[in-house]
Amino acid sequence: MTRLLAARGGSQDVAKPEAGPMRNNFTEDSAQGSRRVVHRRHSDGIMEMGRMSFSHVPKQDGNTYMGTTQRSCITGEIFVASRYNWPSFDLADLFTREHIHGYLRQFLEDNYLFFPVPMPYRTWIYHEAFLDNKVSSINGNPEHAMVQDVLGTRCIDVDVAAGRWSPIMCYAPMVLILCLTGDMVGVGVGIVLVLFLWFMSVNMNTPVLYCYLRIATLPMRLAFGGILGLQWASYSAFAQFFAAMVLLGILLDLIRGDLQELLCFRMNCSYEIVKALPERVFICRRHGASHLEHRFGWRGRVAESITGLGAWNKDFYLIADINGMLAELRPVRMEDMLGIHAEQCEQPRILSFMGLKSFSFNCPTSGCLDVTTQAELTEVCKKFKQSLPPDSLLHGEEPDRCMGPDSSTSDFWSEAAQPKVQSPIGAAPAMVIETDF
């Protein structure tokens, strides 16, 4: 998704696109490698014995980041330009709680925990509509009219380049190389082309026009290649070498840019809001891009207690508006939890989650949203509490019963727990170290 919505906020006032803007802690980074892979035969034991603690991130206003995303007209990446840091978090929680402590197995059994996957281009379209004071014409709930309009816009939400970068990235260095040929006509045409590409890249950097940039500039780019072809016979052997490099650059731009844009066109999709949950969480149905699961894998199944739907089809999505940022919520997977646990063993850090608070013990399931009397609501809540497994994370055990020291205190995070040292009675200290494992 274009190295995006960094849940890991930077220390600078304006985040740089190359710093991985709009990216969450759990997101794989090609520069640093993917999460550590745990062998299958060891995973069952780790799921039963491995424990982790997550703390709630500080609460922020719901519109804190509205209008803060921008799209680079050159690289096509979406980044956050805000004096506020995007809170660093690993999980999103639909239930109302301040701390989560437990074994890895318990995290997988909790239906309210999700991995937030940012939707950068759709968030950028969302913010541009907000800045333009665009009023949605879609009939429905006026509270969600703008989100409904943005989700109904067709764009690519998966993490592919799709040729959305400007051709000037190739043509600017090619003009410099062309200067070595001594062809003043070709260099002059190249400079005009670069200025034209810059003008078009800046002025077409809007939610409506950005996807037409390559089509609009294709005739000029092909004409530039044709001029070089006509000048080829007049070049010396030395000049032909550099002219060939320029022609290869033009071919590379057509393959990596225009051809990729054409091949990725089928990934464009839109969403229809099927049901709105509390705190701006939406159950949506995708229209278009029907092959995404075959290429990018299964996204998981959301529990019926949350959706109220008997079946969770492959084109269903759970999308949340997190402080003005749109993100898809995917159920936690064993591979991801094992990866986080492995990272914690190697380089411990504070784990955190974003509390969306769509549900609570007073409204634990989507069925509570349809009740009409207090008696019905009380009965639904009673049945929910009775159906909870004995070791559910929702029981709210005290931290000292589940995790040892209270993770909410600053001492727990600032200093690692010290190992216990025992010495046999009547013998010299033997440095026998006992750990929780």
Side-chain angles (χ1 to χ4, degrees):
M1 284 159 293
T2 335
R3 296 185 179 274
L4 41 141
L5 268 161
R8 182 175 299 165
S11 58
Q12 300 178 354
D13 291 340
V14 179
K16 303 295 184 182
E18 54 271 20
M22 305 177 75
R23 175 178 295 281
N24 278 319
N25 293 339
F26 66 88
T27 310
E28 295 181 357
D29 192 340
S30 58
Q32 300 179 357
S34 59
R35 289 196 178 278
R36 179 180 176 183
V37 178
V38 181
H39 200 280
R40 180 70 181 180
R41 65 181 180 181
H42 302 306
S43 61
D44 293 339
I46 296 177
M47 296 300 295
E48 293 292 337
M49 299 181 61
R51 296 183 292 179
M52 291 192 298
S53 177
F54 290 77
S55 184
H56 198 293
V57 299
K59 184 178 180 181
Q60 293 180 319
D61 183 76
N63 295 324
T64 299
Y65 302 98
M66 287 298 295
T68 61
T69 56
Q70 298 178 7
R71 178 182 181 269
S72 171
C73 63
I74 304 300
T75 64
E77 290 187 339
I78 309 297
F79 60 96
V80 180
S82 173
R83 61 188 180 92
Y84 300 100
N85 289 333
W86 179 244
S88 174
F89 61 95
D90 300 89
L91 300 177
D93 184 18
L94 293 186
F95 211 81
T96 304
R97 45 189 163 182
E98 296 299 324
H99 301 279
I100 306 176
H101 319 270
Y103 294 94
L104 269 64
R105 172 185 53 81
Q106 294 175 284
F107 283 88
L108 291 183
E109 296 172 353
D110 195 313
N111 295 328
Y112 297 91
L113 294 179
F114 296 86
F115 281 121
V117 180
M119 308 173 74
Y121 264 81
R122 206 165 291 276
T123 299
W124 170 61
I125 296 173
Y126 185 26
H127 290 188
E128 288 295 316
F130 171 79
L131 294 175
D132 294 340
N133 296 322
K134 183 178 179 181
V135 179
S136 174
S137 60
I138 298 179
N139 296 326
N141 189 344
E143 181 182 359
H144 309 312
M146 183 175 292
V147 175
Q148 187 175 2
D149 190 19
V150 171
L151 292 177
T153 303
R154 293 182 62 85
C155 72
I156 299 177
D157 291 315
V158 292
D159 191 9
V160 293
R164 291 177 289 189
W165 44 276
S166 173
I168 199 175
M169 294 183 64
C170 287
Y171 283 85
M174 283 193 298
V175 172
L176 297 178
I177 297 176
L178 190 62
C179 294
L180 300 176
T181 63
D183 181 11
M184 300 306 298
V185 175
V187 173
V189 174
I191 293 176
V192 173
L193 176 60
V194 170
L195 294 177
F196 171 75
L197 292 177
W198 170 256
F199 175 81
M200 296 295 289
S201 299
V202 172
N203 288 274
M204 296 187 70
N205 190 27
T206 65
V208 178
L209 299 177
Y210 78 94
C211 54
Y212 301 109
L213 174 62
R214 288 194 165 273
I215 298 177
T217 59
L218 182 59
M220 288 287 290
R221 290 182 284 134
L222 293 179
F224 176 67
I227 292 176
L228 290 183
L230 294 176
Q231 296 286 97
W232 180 268
S234 62
Y235 292 156
S236 63
F238 179 79
Q240 287 181 352
F241 172 76
F242 293 104
M245 294 179 61
V246 174
L247 292 176
L248 288 176
I250 296 176
L251 181 62
L252 177 65
D253 175 66
L254 292 175
I255 295 176
R256 298 292 297 174
D258 299 77
L259 182 60
Q260 284 297 317
E261 184 178 41
L262 180 62
L263 295 177
C264 295
F265 181 79
R266 59 178 182 168
M267 297 182 183
N268 282 276
C269 64
S270 61
Y271 302 93
E272 170 195 357
I273 296 180
V274 177
K275 189 174 185 179
L277 300 178
E279 301 300 329
R280 300 185 68 79
V281 178
F282 307 96
I283 302 173
C284 304
R285 177 184 287 109
R286 184 188 67 211
H287 296 284
S290 59
H291 67 291
L292 286 184
E293 285 72 25
H294 297 285
R295 178 171 178 179
F296 298 96
W298 177 244
R299 295 175 291 102
R301 176 186 177 88
V302 182
E304 182 180 353
S305 58
I306 295 177
T307 65
L309 305 176
W312 185 258
N313 300 328
K314 67 175 184 178
D315 57 347
F316 281 176
Y317 280 68
L318 191 63
I319 298 177
D321 180 358
I322 305 176
N323 295 343
M325 301 291 189
L326 296 180
E328 177 195 353
L329 303 182
R330 298 183 182 179
V332 295
R333 301 182 305 171
M334 181 177 66
E335 293 80 5
D336 296 314
M337 297 306 299
L338 291 174
I340 295 178
H341 183 267
E343 290 181 357
Q344 283 295 97
C345 293
E346 295 178 354
Q347 296 181 347
R349 61 178 175 85
I350 299 177
L351 297 176
S352 58
F353 69 95
M354 172 67 72
L356 303 181
K357 300 183 179 181
S358 299
F359 300 98
S360 64
F361 280 110
N362 295 325
C363 181
T365 65
S366 60
C368 298
L369 305 176
D370 302 325
V371 298
T372 56
T373 64
Q374 182 64 33
E376 294 178 352
L377 178 60
T378 303
E379 184 65 22
V380 173
C381 295
K382 180 179 179 180
K383 291 181 179 179
F384 172 78
K385 293 180 180 180
Q386 293 175 349
S387 64
L388 285 179
D391 59 346
S392 173
L393 295 176
L394 296 179
H395 281 302
E397 292 182 331
E398 293 295 331
D400 56 351
R401 293 178 56 191
C402 181
M403 292 297 299
D406 187 357
S407 62
S408 63
T409 62
S410 59
D411 295 338
F412 177 82
W413 297 112
S414 59
E415 185 174 293
Q418 299 298 319
K420 303 176 183 178
V421 180
Q422 293 183 348
S423 301
I425 299 178
M431 291 300 292
V432 178
I433 298 178
E434 295 181 357
T435 68
D436 293 337
F437 294 98

